[in-house]
């Protein structure tokens, strides 16, 4: 039972091995740091050259930026503030309608995309997938939908279904499916597998195992991802109009093209306020969800 | 030791008419790029018999019981349970077989975010195929009644609505037993139900398991590292070493010093 031939020699030997491993580790770390630093500098220089980044152009151009912003802002007088504001926001009714359309587009697209992601994500988790085939299929599909920019999808759908919000909704939904499919699947991969095995041992089918073994563990994560995706989608929906896929973007791009400077600022302010409010609301909800008990 | 085992075998086969609930022959399992864990395990368990499985850490006891329900696929060998050839079952009939066997895990395996009662209701899942079983809140009231009765049997009805992760180790293990009862099992397998519990709670759990199995006349196969439990709650003790059955004795004439060898730590 007792260690039979101990002595100092083994102890010293073990200690020496350990010391050598530490030294190797330190050396490797130093090498990694040096290499990383070199790569970082090279990438900075490379991207500056390729992007034609020049500080002079930046300094020369900066005043024009201010000029543009100034031009978009109307002259407001304290004495006639009400009338001036009414003049500035003359299209408020129409813009608010379009903003509502934008938010609803984002809402519907988030809903559709997340439902799709929910169907895909179980197949796309390494620990839950039925087999290697379904895993790779699910992963590659969501990768595809995620990497294609949503504006490109929108262009295709406008071509197919005509101008209007339908194209935008589909485009954003597909992108959300790809993005959430990956996030959901990764949440699934981090679960505790013991309850899953427990359910399998009870004779539960695959669907039941996912429903009762996996979903209770990941639902708060899912909800948080969906809310986050909604925030992003509201911003995306706001520019969908650039390619004629519905929402307030159409109005904005028209104003920009026709040089209706004051309309630009008015619409932008409305967008910023809406997006900000939605962000704050979603964030509150997300934090509330993270701490909540989920009893069924 | 070998002649002793074969002697026992002949006595047993001579005295039993009923078909064994479980009979395993030459079961072997090796993990990919790992050593061979089980190399030809033979075991037979008669209806209503209680068998303790002992062996040092890492001898493959958990692997063995998982193979019985194909939670892990064995590499080779024969498993017959309730007269069915387990390794030949389709996934559908395998699920049905699993639902007939109560399985209590080394570390309870409850769904932590759900209430104790919800976890017990899971035991009935294989029986409930309606969409009503998709959402626990819609479980029919007779199912809820039965689940409450099962919790009552393990004297945990007071904690029915507590979340599983708020329960102590002993309470969780009792919920796991209630879930097992909810299955209306015909055979019970328990993988160290007394592990990670203090001595008193561990004994309580073992007694509960033994009693409930007795009440319903169920066969019981349990793993334990507690020699006293192994002797007290079983009719027969089977020792596993080096991937094979190295001991098979009746509990009432077991020799504690011989049994103790199976708990010795192996040295590299
Ligand atoms: N999924 C797996 N992949 C690879 N090796 C595994 C896996 N599961 C178990 N093993 C190995 O198989 C051997 C037996 O493990 P097992 O858990 O069955 O032992 P045990 O007898 O139950 O031990 P304990 O008394 O500690 O519970 C161990 O050496 C372990 O490392
Ligand atoms: Mg074990």
């Amino acid at each position: 039972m007792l260690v039979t031939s101990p002595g100092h020699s083994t102890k010293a030997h073990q200690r020496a091995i350990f010391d050598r491993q530490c030294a190797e580790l330190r050396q490797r770390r130093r090498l990694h740091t040096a290499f990383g630093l070199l790569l970082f500098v090279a990438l900075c220089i490379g991207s500056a050259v390729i992007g034609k980044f020049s500080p002079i152009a930046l300094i020369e151009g900066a005043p024009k930026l201010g000029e543009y912003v100034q031009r978009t802002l109307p002259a407001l007088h304290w004495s006639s503030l009400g009338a001036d504001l009414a003049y500035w926001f003359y299209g408020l009714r129409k813009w608010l309608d379009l903003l509502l359309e934008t938010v609803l587009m984002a809402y519907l697209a988030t809903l559709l995309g997340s439902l799709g992601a929910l169907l895909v994500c179980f197949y796309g988790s390494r620990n839950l997938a039925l087999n290697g085939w379904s895993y790779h299929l699910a992963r590659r599909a969501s990768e595809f939908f995620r990497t294609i920019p949503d504006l490109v999808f929108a262009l295709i759908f406008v071509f197919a279904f005509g101008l209007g919000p339908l194209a935008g909704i589909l485009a954003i939904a597909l992108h959300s499916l790809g993005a959430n499919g990956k996030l959901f699947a990764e949440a699934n991969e981090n679960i505790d597998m013991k309850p899953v095995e427990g359910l399998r041992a009870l004779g539960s089918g695959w669907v039941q195992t996912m429903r009762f073994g996996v979903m209770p563990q990941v639902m708060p994560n899912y909800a948080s991802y969906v809310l986050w995706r909604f925030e992003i989608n509201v911003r995306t929906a706001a520019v969908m109009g650039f390619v004629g896929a519905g929402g307030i973007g159409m109005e904005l791009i028209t104003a920009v093209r026709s040089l209706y400077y004051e309309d630009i600022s008015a619409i932008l302010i409305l967008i910023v306020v809406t997006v900000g409010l939605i962000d704050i609301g979603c964030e509150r909800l997300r934090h509330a969800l993270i701490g909540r008990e989920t009893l069924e | 030791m070998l002649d002793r085992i074969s002697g026992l075998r002949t006595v047993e086969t001579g005295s039993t008419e009923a078909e064994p609930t479980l009979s395993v022959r030459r079961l072997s399992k090796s993990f990919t790029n790992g050593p061979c864990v089980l190399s030809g395990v033979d075991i037979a368990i008669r209806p209503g018999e209680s068998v303790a499985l002992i062996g040092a850490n890492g001898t493959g006891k958990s692997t063995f019981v998982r193979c019985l329900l194909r939670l892990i696929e064995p590499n080779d060998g024969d498993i017959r349970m309730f007269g069915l050839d387990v390794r030949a079952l389709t996934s559908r009939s395998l699920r049905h077989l699993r639902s007939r066997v109560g399985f209590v895990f080394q570390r309870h395996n409850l769904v932590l975010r759900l209430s104790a009662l919800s976890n017990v209701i899971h035991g009935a899942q294989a029986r409930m195929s309606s969409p009503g079983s998709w959402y626990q809140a819609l479980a029919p009231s007779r199912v809820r009644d039965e689940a409450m009765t099962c919790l009552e049997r393990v004297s945990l009805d007071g904690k029915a609505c507590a979340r599983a992760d708020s329960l102590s180790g002993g309470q969780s293990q009792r919920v796991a037993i209630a879930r097992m009862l909810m299955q209306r099992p015909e055979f019970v397998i328990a993988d160290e139900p007394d592990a990670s519990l203090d001595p008193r709670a561990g004994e309580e759990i073992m007694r509960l398991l033994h009693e409930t199995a007795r009440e319903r006349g169920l066969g019981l196969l349990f793993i334990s590292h507690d020699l006293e439990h192994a002797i007290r709650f079983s009719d027969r003790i089977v020792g596993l070493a080096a991937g094979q059955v190295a001991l098979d004795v009746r509990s009432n004439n077991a020799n504690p010093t011989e049994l103790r060898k199976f708990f010795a730590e192996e040295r590299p």
Side-chain angles (χ1 to χ4, degrees):
Chain A
M1 274 298 134
L2 284 166
V3 186
T4 42
S5 62
H8 280 322
S9 62
T10 28
K11 196 168 146 196
H13 183 60
Q14 292 293 326
R15 179 61 205 267
I17 291 175
F18 183 72
D19 285 349
R20 200 175 54 222
Q21 279 170 349
C22 287
E24 269 169 23
L25 195 70
R26 232 171 316 161
Q27 190 160 12
R28 216 175 318 143
R29 181 139 321 149
R30 233 174 276 149
L31 207 72
H32 283 181
T33 314
F35 184 71
L37 211 66
L38 212 70
L39 194 71
F40 175 73
V41 172
L43 278 175
C44 282
I45 294 173
S47 47
V49 169
I50 290 170
K52 298 201 173 66
F53 179 88
S54 92
I56 299 158
L58 204 66
I59 291 163
E60 276 177 357
K64 280 190 226 154
L65 218 62
E67 197 183 314
Y68 190 87
V69 171
Q70 205 171 15
R71 216 184 270 192
T72 63
L73 293 178
L76 294 179
H77 301 287
W78 193 245
S79 51
S80 58
L81 190 64
D84 284 353
L85 278 177
Y87 179 71
W88 190 15
F89 284 94
Y90 74 96
L92 192 63
R93 252 334 273 272
K94 186 172 72 175
W95 293 335
L96 283 182
D97 279 351
L98 280 172
L99 264 177
L100 185 68
E101 181 181 294
T102 309
V103 173
L104 288 180
M105 273 168 66
Y107 174 76
L108 207 58
T110 310
L111 199 70
L112 288 176
S114 302
L115 281 178
L118 190 67
L119 292 181
V120 169
C121 71
F122 298 110
Y123 298 96
S125 322
R126 205 173 274 280
N127 51 344
L128 305 173
L130 294 168
N131 50 45
W133 265 97
S134 70
Y135 170 76
H136 283 289
L137 195 71
R139 274 295 167 113
R140 296 296 89 78
S142 52
E143 214 159 71
F144 175 79
F145 291 132
R146 185 167 70 245
T147 33
I148 302 227
D150 20 29
L151 276 176
V152 174
F153 274 134
L155 274 172
I156 297 169
F157 289 137
V158 165
F159 179 77
F161 306 115
L163 293 171
L166 178 65
I169 292 170
L170 288 178
I172 303 174
L174 276 187
H175 192 82
S176 304
L177 190 160
N180 272 354
K182 177 193 158 88
L183 289 174
F184 287 6
E186 267 162 18
N188 291 345
E189 285 180 354
N190 285 325
I191 59 162
D192 176 9
M193 285 300 280
K194 276 187 281 151
V196 174
E197 193 185 27
L199 282 162
R200 283 212 303 144
L202 291 169
S204 306
W206 192 77
V207 176
Q208 284 171 319
T209 309
M210 298 304 122
R211 169 65 188 84
F212 295 109
V214 182
M215 280 178 61
Q217 297 192 54
V218 291
M219 262 337 241
N221 301 35
Y222 284 6
S224 157
Y225 289 142
V226 168
L227 286 171
W228 185 45
R229 185 50 47 186
F230 179 57
E231 288 174 34
I232 296 172
N233 284 349
V234 172
R235 283 190 288 265
T236 312
V239 297
M240 273 295 148
F242 288 11
V243 295
I248 194 145
M250 187 72 150
E251 201 71 7
L252 183 61
I253 199 76
T254 310
V256 171
R257 294 237 169 88
S258 338
L259 306 179
Y260 297 154
Y261 290 113
E262 294 183 2
D263 285 16
I264 299 174
S265 61
I267 294 172
L268 277 180
I269 286 173
L270 286 176
I271 292 179
V272 167
V273 168
T274 311
V275 170
L277 284 178
I278 284 172
D279 276 13
I280 292 169
C282 284
E283 200 173 323
R284 288 246 170 115
L285 257 170
R286 274 214 317 268
H287 284 289
L289 270 174
I290 288 167
R292 222 189 70 194
E293 311 256 66
T294 46
L295 264 187
E296 282 188 40
Chain B
M1 198 186 283
L2 266 177
D3 26 353
R4 179 172 193 174
I5 294 167
S6 49
L8 259 174
R9 284 270 158 65
T10 45
V11 171
E12 271 161 26
T13 42
S15 67
T16 44
E17 317 81 41
E19 194 182 0
T21 311
L22 169 72
S23 86
V24 179
R25 272 210 238 124
R26 298 187 312 276
L27 186 77
S28 63
K29 170 72 192 173
S30 52
F31 289 101
T32 31
N33 61 53
C36 188
V37 180
L38 303 171
S39 50
V41 176
D42 294 273
I43 276 188
I45 296 178
R46 280 171 288 131
E49 193 182 23
S50 170
V51 174
L53 186 63
I54 61 172
N57 286 125
T59 42
K61 305 178 298 298
S62 302
T63 305
F64 174 70
V65 291
R66 279 184 169 79
C67 282
L68 296 181
L69 290 184
R70 278 171 60 194
L71 293 170
I72 297 176
E73 284 296 338
N75 295 113
D76 201 15
D78 249 9
I79 306 170
R80 294 192 77 81
M81 205 184 282
F82 312 127
L84 297 167
D85 180 359
V86 176
R87 295 198 59 205
L89 294 179
T90 60
S91 66
R92 194 189 170 80
S93 29
L94 177 64
R95 284 209 302 274
H96 183 239
L97 175 88
R98 284 175 180 164
S99 74
R100 293 168 69 187
V101 178
F103 203 111
V104 179
F105 285 87
Q106 193 160 0
R107 275 156 295 155
H108 59 73
N109 293 23
L110 301 179
V111 183
L112 294 178
R113 280 177 188 276
L114 299 183
S115 65
L117 194 66
S118 296
N119 272 288
V120 177
I121 289 177
H122 286 169
Q125 221 162 65
R127 259 180 283 145
M128 304 190 298
S129 51
S130 64
S133 72
W134 281 55
Y135 197 64
Q136 210 100 121
L138 300 179
S141 87
R142 66 185 158 71
V143 173
R144 288 188 224 180
D145 286 344
E146 190 179 343
M148 269 317 276
T149 316
C150 292
L151 269 182
E152 210 176 342
R153 178 64 191 81
V154 298
S155 33
L156 215 60
D157 40 330
K159 289 276 188 184
C161 296
R163 254 173 75 140
D165 51 8
S166 71
L167 301 176
S168 73
Q171 289 169 337
S172 305
Q173 206 56 282
R174 277 193 270 165
V175 173
I177 292 179
R179 179 172 71 175
M180 177 274 282
L181 293 175
M182 188 70 186
Q183 273 179 269
R184 304 183 193 150
E186 294 163 52
F187 181 61
V188 179
I189 298 175
D191 185 354
E192 287 184 56
D194 52 356
S196 72
L197 298 183
D198 66 56
R200 226 179 89 201
E203 178 169 341
E204 234 165 70
I205 289 297
M206 273 313 305
R207 184 171 325 121
L208 194 57
L209 202 61
H210 188 246
E211 271 175 17
T212 46
R214 258 306 107 84
E215 277 164 18
R216 303 178 181 210
L218 306 176
L220 171 66
L221 171 64
F222 70 94
I223 300 174
S224 181
H225 279 301
D226 186 315
L227 203 55
E228 197 193 321
H229 291 173
I231 295 174
R232 242 178 68 203
F233 298 111
S234 72
D235 305 322
R236 223 171 86 211
I237 300 181
V238 172
L240 217 55
Q244 281 181 324
V245 173
L247 172 89
D248 192 334
V249 290
R250 308 217 132 271
S251 314
N252 43 24
N253 54 22
N255 175 0
T257 42
E258 194 185 349
L259 294 183
R260 211 158 279 132
K261 282 185 207 151
F262 283 87
F263 297 115
E265 222 24 83
E266 332 143 56
R267 295 238 156 224

